[in-house]
Amino acid sequence: MTIATLPVEDYGATIISGDWVVSGDAIRSNPALTDNRDSETIFDLFGALPEGNNIAKVFFSYRVSSEDGYDKLKIIGPDIDVEITGETDWAEHSALLYRGQTFTLNYAKDRSNSAGEDAGFVGQIRYEAYSEFPYHANIAMVSGDWVADAADGSIRSKDITDSESTTVTLDLFSYGESDYTAIHLEIFVSTEEEYDKVFIVGASSQEFSGNLGWIYPKVIPDDDGLLTITYQKDVSNSKNADYSRIDNVIFVKGAEGAAPIAYYTVSMLDTLPPLGFYPEPAPRLPNPTAIKHSGRSNVLGVARATNQIGHIDQIDGSGANGTPTGGVSDPARMGVIAGTVLDIQAQPVSRRVRVHERATGRIVRETWSGADGKYRFTDLDPRIAFYVMAFDHTLQQNAVVSDNVHSEVEDRP
């Protein structure tokens, strides 16, 4: 992935209001701040980017030098809620931003005393910027013993001691992507170099060690779509941050360095057990409850207050793009599978009909045929093979299966 560094002379363009100032290679709180006051500004990365860049992954470092426990730096915005105090070294955070989203930078002093440089700092701003993504979704198709990061719910290796290891498995087939040329994993690696290691295992194996920060290795899942990441410690010593963390899975179409077509945040949902990990392998897709004649079903969803508002595409499975209606914007992917259900006397009947993705078996559509036996499924990708099953709820005959079915795009006037 290509990451650009924002020049120091452009830092001022990121401040749209407030009293923070550019100082050296950072933005800092107001140097003239007095007791019982705070210095606040609104940080907007897009103020320094050309028009047409509407989505960006931003990386920035921050630190504070203050009276410990009393004077504090706060950074609040999408994917971040930081509060630190005292004398700290630089730490880095990353977040996915849409045009119009900003961060609030606040350094607050109590009613007396000062220490250190008496300021908060944000600097070393780097970014990837794009015009648009088809969608950005939060998912939690993970299993293993990694834990939720308290700051934003992303997953990180659990704390372990010498000679131990901690493992997480991602189910990449569950993301439903097919039109891509590469998959990149956004992973943070900070270990004792050469001794404590991060292993990424799928169809091929990779290992990383040392204080690498955020890296973007190309990954290939195994034949079942699974990718396993293990953090392993040796018999002694710890250095650097001593953990690994996964933020995003990025699907790319095109040559190396091409813009992503899909950007998925790997997140631990608030509904997970208090231990902080998914104790059992997740299903390919959390199938909805059985669809009744009304065509309605119930799906429990959870959203954090800090998350970008998104859409749940309940009919996904072949190329839907997360629009509010669950539709597909690309006409070339609007395939249709239709047919008629007949009983053993060759009479049309109303029965439950399901479409399964042939490669994984997951249910991607479900409906009831009408009284005339007819059923119709839309927005299916013609490039993907499916099988269609009709079930007799009266138990008078076995299910009927049509295998290796491809949808067809209908002619339009």
Side-chain angles (χ1 to χ4, degrees):
M1 308 303 294
T2 303
I3 303 177
T5 300
L6 191 69
V8 174
E9 56 266 26
D10 289 346
Y11 282 7
T14 67
I15 300 176
I16 59 175
S17 65
D19 60 356
W20 281 46
V21 298
V22 177
S23 176
D25 59 354
I27 305 170
R28 63 157 290 166
S29 54
N30 187 353
L33 188 65
T34 59
D35 292 337
N36 209 29
R37 296 287 187 271
D38 61 358
S39 173
E40 185 170 282
T41 197
I42 304 298
F43 165 86
D44 181 10
L45 173 69
F46 294 96
L49 301 185
E51 289 294 328
N53 289 313
N54 298 316
I55 300 176
K57 183 72 176 182
V58 59
F59 305 80
F60 63 89
S61 55
Y62 58 89
R63 71 177 180 90
V64 69
S65 178
S66 71
E67 181 188 10
D68 191 17
Y70 298 96
D71 300 342
K72 301 176 181 180
L73 169 66
K74 296 181 181 180
I75 308 175
I76 301 172
D79 291 338
I80 185 170
D81 187 1
V82 167
E83 180 176 314
I84 55 174
T85 183
E87 200 71 36
T88 72
D89 200 355
W90 288 103
E92 185 175 70
H93 187 84
S94 64
L96 186 69
L97 293 178
Y98 295 78
R99 183 171 287 276
Q101 292 182 328
T102 61
F103 289 106
T104 298
L105 314 178
N106 181 279
Y107 179 69
K109 287 181 59 59
D110 74 337
R111 58 191 177 186
S112 62
N113 300 330
S114 298
E117 297 170 78
D118 196 24
F121 301 84
V122 168
Q124 300 172 333
I125 302 170
R126 300 175 297 127
Y127 65 91
E128 306 172 279
Y130 308 100
S131 59
E132 63 178 331
F133 298 150
Y135 49 87
H136 169 227
N138 292 317
I139 54 179
M141 290 299 186
V142 299
S143 60
D145 63 358
W146 284 34
V147 299
D149 188 280
D152 60 7
S154 63
I155 59 175
R156 56 159 288 173
S157 56
K158 73 174 182 179
D159 293 332
I160 56 177
T161 59
D162 296 336
S163 300
E164 289 187 340
S165 63
T166 172
T167 297
V168 66
T169 298
L170 306 183
D171 181 358
L172 299 189
F173 280 1
S174 68
Y175 298 14
E177 293 297 328
S178 59
D179 188 21
Y180 62 86
T181 56
I183 305 174
H184 293 268
L185 187 67
E186 183 180 17
I187 183 169
F188 178 82
V189 176
S190 183
T191 75
E192 182 188 10
E193 189 169 4
E194 295 186 12
Y195 297 100
D196 299 344
K197 298 180 180 180
V198 175
F199 297 92
I200 302 176
V201 179
S204 61
S205 299
Q206 305 176 61
E207 67 176 63
F208 302 93
S209 182
N211 194 26
L212 305 182
W214 288 102
I215 58 175
Y216 295 83
K218 181 189 291 186
V219 296
I220 305 173
D222 66 16
D223 291 342
D224 294 323
L226 303 178
L227 191 72
T228 299
I229 300 93
T230 299
Y231 182 48
Q232 181 173 304
K233 289 180 61 63
D234 75 333
V235 296
S236 64
N237 299 331
S238 297
K239 289 184 179 180
N240 301 316
D242 195 28
Y243 73 90
S244 183
R245 171 178 158 185
I246 300 170
D247 205 2
N248 292 289
V249 176
I250 306 163
F251 291 83
V252 176
K253 181 180 180 181
E256 290 294 324
I261 59 171
Y263 217 126
Y264 289 93
T265 296
V266 183
S267 174
M268 290 290 197
L269 299 182
D270 297 332
T271 53
L272 290 178
L275 289 177
F277 63 90
Y278 218 121
E280 299 294 338
R284 291 291 185 199
L285 189 70
N287 292 324
T289 54
I291 297 177
K292 302 177 174 58
H293 284 82
S294 66
R296 295 175 178 269
S297 67
N298 298 312
V299 176
L300 179 64
V302 176
R304 294 189 186 89
T306 58
N307 277 359
Q308 173 82 356
I309 294 176
H311 305 290
I312 298 175
D313 183 4
Q314 192 168 300
I315 66 170
D316 177 54
S318 64
N321 66 351
T323 62
T325 60
V328 178
S329 60
D330 182 359
R333 300 173 81 170
M334 296 178 182
V336 173
I337 292 177
T340 303
V341 180
L342 305 176
D343 63 13
I344 55 178
Q345 283 81 37
Q347 298 299 309
V349 288
S350 177
R351 295 291 185 265
R352 179 179 295 151
V353 184
R354 288 174 176 164
V355 176
H356 297 251
E357 187 178 66
R358 197 172 191 273
T360 64
R362 65 174 179 158
I363 300 172
V364 298
R365 300 287 190 277
E366 182 172 343
T367 191
W368 284 75
S369 58
D372 58 358
K374 295 184 181 300
Y375 63 87
R376 175 182 169 89
F377 299 101
T378 61
D379 289 340
L380 290 163
D381 195 327
R383 298 166 297 182
I384 297 178
F386 303 95
Y387 61 90
V388 182
M389 300 184 68
F391 299 87
D392 182 6
H393 62 285
T394 68
L395 303 180
Q396 298 303 304
Q397 68 182 98
N398 293 329
V400 177
V401 182
S402 296
D403 195 9
N404 200 27
V405 178
H406 286 261
S407 63
E408 296 182 358
V409 177
E410 297 178 333
D411 292 334
R412 288 175 170 80

